[in-house]
Amino acid sequence: MSETRSTTDGSPIPVRTAGLAAALGVWVLWSGVVLTGHGTIILNNFLVGAAIAAGGAFAAAWPDGGPLPAVAVPVLVAVLGIWIAAAPFVLAAGSDLLLWSNVIAGLLVAVLAAGSVYGSWQLTQSTATRA
């Protein structure tokens, strides 16, 4: 499905919100190093940030779910966003800047992923009604 067709036939919400979540995932991936964290928070941010970026990119590429249910990946990204927001308190961020970066980025990822879930659900509903 081309980008032109997907934005005219359905809402562009899942594509845009998932893409923004993927970009925030890239920030989370590097934030432990850029903001000079230490300990397990660096590894956590790297792994979970990579998973958010990959999940957001997948959800942006296939807003109708592709081979998976439409809401599966955005829900996973939302859960990972909530974890990123909670991780500095669980894993001791060591830096106030890293703590607030994780909290803000995690909450933004969760909200954007929730928007993507809603948009993907609308897209599958409209596709099912037309079929």
Side-chain angles (χ1 to χ4, degrees), residues 28-111:
V28 169
L29 183 136
W30 290 108
S31 65
V33 175
V34 172
L35 300 176
T36 61
H38 65 284
T40 57
I41 193 78
I42 295 174
L43 181 61
N44 176 71
N45 278 14
F46 189 82
L47 295 175
V48 177
I52 290 171
F58 181 88
W62 290 287
D64 61 347
L68 299 172
V71 297
V73 175
V75 166
L76 176 64
V77 171
V79 169
L80 291 174
I82 292 168
W83 167 248
I84 282 295
F89 303 105
V90 176
L91 301 175
S95 160
D96 284 342
L97 196 56
L98 184 58
L99 179 137
W100 286 109
S101 172
N102 270 32
V103 169
I104 292 168
L107 292 177
L108 283 172
V109 165
V111 167

Side-chain angles (χ1 to χ4, degrees), residues 11 13-14 63-65 69-72 74-75 113-129:
S11 174
I13 290 173
D64 61 347
V71 297
V75 166
S116 185
V117 167
Y118 176 72
S120 294
W121 177 76
Q122 273 189 329
L123 187 62
T124 56
Q125 294 301 320
S126 68
T127 304
T129 322

